[in-house]
Amino acid sequence: HNGYCSTMKLLTFIEKTGNKLPDPATLFVVGTLTIFILSAMIANLGWSVIDPKGNAIVAFDLTSSDGIWWLLSTMVKNFISFPPLGIVLVGMLGIGLAEKTGFLPALLHFSITHVHARLLTPATMFLGIISSIALDTGYVVLIPIAAALYIAAGRSPLTGIAVSFAGVSAGFSANLFITALDPLLAGFTQAGAQIIDADYQVAVTGNWWFMIVSTIILTFVGWFVTERFIEPAIEGVADQNLDDNYSALNNAEKRALLYSVSSVFILLITLFFAITLTNAPLYGEGKRFDRWIEATVPLLFILFFVPGLIYGALAGTVKNDRDVANMLGEVMARLGPYIVLAFFAAQFIAAFNQSGLGQMLAIAGGQFLRQLMVQDALLLSCFVLMVVVINLVIGSSSAKYAFFAPVFVPMLMQIGISPELTQAAYRVGDSVSNVITPMNPYMIIIIIEVRKYVRGSGLGTVVAMMLPYTIAFLIVWLILLVVWINTGLPLGPGGGLFYKF
């Protein structure tokens, strides 16, 4: 009882603290103003650091006449050349259309409703993890259906909610496929890396292999936690009220799904030949990566846009070109808050870079870390734990990483840790605590689902149910990260573990 009260007090404190924080866009405005003030102070004090090549790095006073001119003359350029902006918008057009036409929800619905009862838990966990490719469809479609399926199987609906929520949210960063999160984080990572190395490019596929293995391992971990801890604890708690709002797909939808999935296989076969045949468009090496890696985002757009369009046309959700244009407009409208965030984040990162403070902090911080003689695995584990804690207060993955990347990516590069490895560590910490933080924007959906079956339940009920997943995922994912570092294997195509400076 005392432990439960303490947990609720902590959650209440976290919720109140998080609610008092300004909007992320405002935080970037404040951050940019802080950079201006600090640049003036450090430049006037004459402080400097020596880089590994023996050059003195000094601060540029952004409050000077030249500094103000720099901001005004580059503000538009800072925005339009911001790495995460274009790649996210292009990728999301394809994924968004596939969601709007109903292709991704139908695929998820079909998959979860055609699973053998004995494999219901691992299948639900697996589908929850890979559902991040379908934006928030996992929350809206998978979680309610999972509750209904568990009732049909004679099991508690709370188990279905817990399993699916753990997969969708705690396993959010993992996937078998490249999702919209990959180009988003890669863009921020690249912007941070270029503070130290202006020519550094981060591949969208840089964490792919690590996330594929993470998906498989987390599926089994979630299965074990559910069978060993969750289901025995909540058995018989819920009222068996089946919500029948989720009917099976009709014949037109099944036919549309068949043809749209077939188109995915045709596109993948075409892509294979485009990569492997001599003189094909994607054959050979690009500037730093293989051509197909450099074209990942456009390929992602095509792989979702085409089947989404086919499904919409056959299922009747798309009747003409105006419907497609309207859907794409809705996708862009939903990205409005991100575009606003990107504008102010772009100014923050550009000011951080132009002032010289980014280089100074990275070099000084890297030298300090080098003197500590701390192993990479321990250092990254501490970084992961810090992200876990911050995620309890700031739920937005992009907002947190926009602050973290310019500081930690170049700093860790100074001791030989690659930007891609820092990004992978961030993804671990950013995922595991999603299921217990009040700042998760989808938490209210979960509470409503739980209340369907348990009267008077609330945030405490959900957190108590989900905490074992957070602990287990954090421990196992950290172990996987440490083991991966020791193997020396790349994290994905174009994603090495170490940086040579």
Side-chain angles (χ1 to χ4, degrees):
H1 178 73
N2 291 334
Y4 178 81
C5 291
S6 299
T7 301
M8 288 307 299
K9 288 180 180 179
L10 176 61
L11 290 171
T12 301
F13 171 77
I14 291 171
E15 186 171 15
K16 289 182 178 179
T17 303
N19 289 336
K20 289 180 180 179
L21 289 175
D23 185 84
T26 306
L27 291 176
F28 282 113
V29 173
V30 174
T32 304
L33 292 175
T34 303
I35 295 293
F36 270 68
I37 295 170
L38 288 176
S39 70
M41 293 173 57
I42 294 175
N44 290 328
L45 289 172
W47 291 357
S48 65
V49 297
I50 305 300
D51 69 11
K53 297 180 181 179
N55 301 317
I57 307 298
V58 298
F60 171 61
D61 185 358
L62 292 175
T63 64
S64 65
S65 176
D66 288 342
I68 299 299
W69 165 245
W70 167 82
L71 178 65
L72 295 175
S73 62
T74 62
M75 186 176 290
V76 175
K77 180 183 176 182
N78 294 339
F79 179 49
I80 62 177
S81 62
F82 189 47
L85 181 64
I87 56 181
V88 169
L89 295 183
V90 172
M92 285 299 295
L93 279 174
I95 296 173
L97 182 73
E99 184 194 29
K100 288 287 184 183
T101 60
F103 168 59
L104 291 178
L107 183 61
L108 193 59
H109 188 294
F110 181 85
S111 300
I112 190 61
T113 54
H114 288 74
V115 173
H116 193 280
R118 291 183 180 179
L119 299 177
L120 188 55
T121 295
T124 302
M125 179 65 66
F126 175 76
L127 287 172
I129 293 172
I130 67 170
S131 71
S132 61
I133 202 169
L135 306 178
D136 58 359
T137 299
Y139 290 98
V140 178
V141 176
L142 180 62
I143 292 174
I145 293 178
L149 287 177
Y150 270 76
I151 290 176
R155 302 165 70 177
S156 172
L158 293 188
T159 304
I161 294 172
V163 174
S164 52
F165 185 34
V168 172
S169 204
F172 173 71
S173 283
N175 214 297
L176 296 182
F177 311 100
I178 298 297
T179 71
L181 184 65
D182 291 276
L184 172 65
L185 296 183
F188 284 118
T189 304
Q190 181 172 304
Q194 289 179 348
I195 292 175
I196 292 294
D197 187 343
D199 297 324
Y200 198 91
Q201 299 291 317
V202 176
V204 172
T205 56
N207 290 159
W208 198 3
W209 304 150
F210 179 71
M211 291 308 159
I212 288 175
V213 175
S214 297
T215 301
I216 297 169
I217 290 178
L218 292 181
T219 297
F220 284 100
V221 172
W223 188 5
F224 172 79
V225 170
T226 303
E227 301 287 347
R228 179 67 176 82
F229 300 103
I230 305 301
E231 194 156 24
I234 63 179
E235 186 177 359
V237 172
D239 300 325
Q240 304 294 303
N241 296 321
L242 179 60
D243 190 338
D244 60 356
N245 290 332
Y246 300 95
S247 57
L249 299 177
N250 60 40
N251 291 333
E253 291 169 335
K254 289 180 180 179
R255 176 170 167 269
L257 187 60
L258 174 63
Y259 282 102
S260 53
V261 170
S262 300
S263 73
V264 173
F265 285 106
I266 294 172
L267 287 171
L268 289 174
I269 293 171
T270 304
L271 178 60
F272 173 78
F273 286 117
I275 293 172
T276 56
L277 292 180
T278 305
N279 297 324
L282 300 178
Y283 178 81
E285 296 183 356
K287 296 178 181 178
R288 182 168 184 257
F289 310 113
D290 290 344
R291 280 186 172 184
W292 74 269
I293 297 177
E294 292 190 27
T296 301
V297 175
L299 293 174
L300 189 68
F301 166 77
I302 294 170
L303 285 171
F304 282 95
F305 188 92
V306 172
L309 186 61
I310 291 174
Y311 181 90
L314 294 177
T317 55
V318 172
K319 296 179 175 60
N320 51 53
D321 60 317
R322 291 187 182 86
D323 289 340
V324 176
N326 289 336
M327 288 179 179
L328 295 178
E330 291 174 5
V331 172
M332 288 294 102
R334 199 161 72 179
L335 287 173
Y338 168 74
I339 296 172
V340 173
L341 177 71
F343 174 78
F344 292 108
Q347 310 310 322
F348 169 79
I349 293 176
F352 197 51
N353 194 4
Q354 179 69 17
S355 68
L357 297 182
Q359 286 181 297
M360 295 177 71
L361 180 61
I363 293 169
Q367 291 171 350
F368 173 73
L369 293 175
R370 200 176 295 117
Q371 291 172 358
L372 290 179
M373 301 293 290
V374 178
Q375 291 185 344
D376 292 350
L378 178 59
L379 189 62
L380 287 171
S381 297
C382 292
F383 175 64
V384 169
L385 293 175
M386 181 188 68
V387 175
V388 169
V389 173
I390 298 298
N391 190 47
L392 293 174
V393 181
I394 303 176
S396 171
S397 177
S398 57
K400 286 196 303 293
Y401 198 53
F403 275 113
F404 282 9
V407 176
F408 290 100
V409 169
M411 185 185 297
L412 295 176
M413 286 171 70
Q414 293 294 301
I415 58 173
I417 294 176
S418 73
E420 292 82 2
L421 180 53
T422 302
Q423 177 181 291
Y426 173 81
R427 296 176 74 161
V428 173
D430 183 56
S431 289
V432 295
S433 56
N434 281 338
V435 291
I436 61 171
T437 172
M439 294 300 104
N440 186 337
Y442 297 102
M443 182 63 78
I444 187 63
I445 295 178
I446 308 305
I447 293 174
I448 290 173
E449 283 298 319
V450 172
R451 282 179 178 169
K452 288 181 181 178
Y453 307 103
V454 181
R455 295 181 181 88
S457 58
L459 180 61
T461 308
V462 175
V463 171
M465 185 170 64
M466 302 308 299
L467 189 58
Y469 291 110
T470 292
I471 296 172
F473 278 26
L474 176 60
I475 293 172
V476 173
W477 221 343
L478 267 179
I479 292 173
L480 175 61
L481 184 65
V482 171
V483 170
W484 200 290
I485 293 172
N486 290 327
T487 65
L489 296 172
L491 294 160
L497 292 171
F498 308 108
Y499 175 74
K500 296 180 180 179
F501 53 93

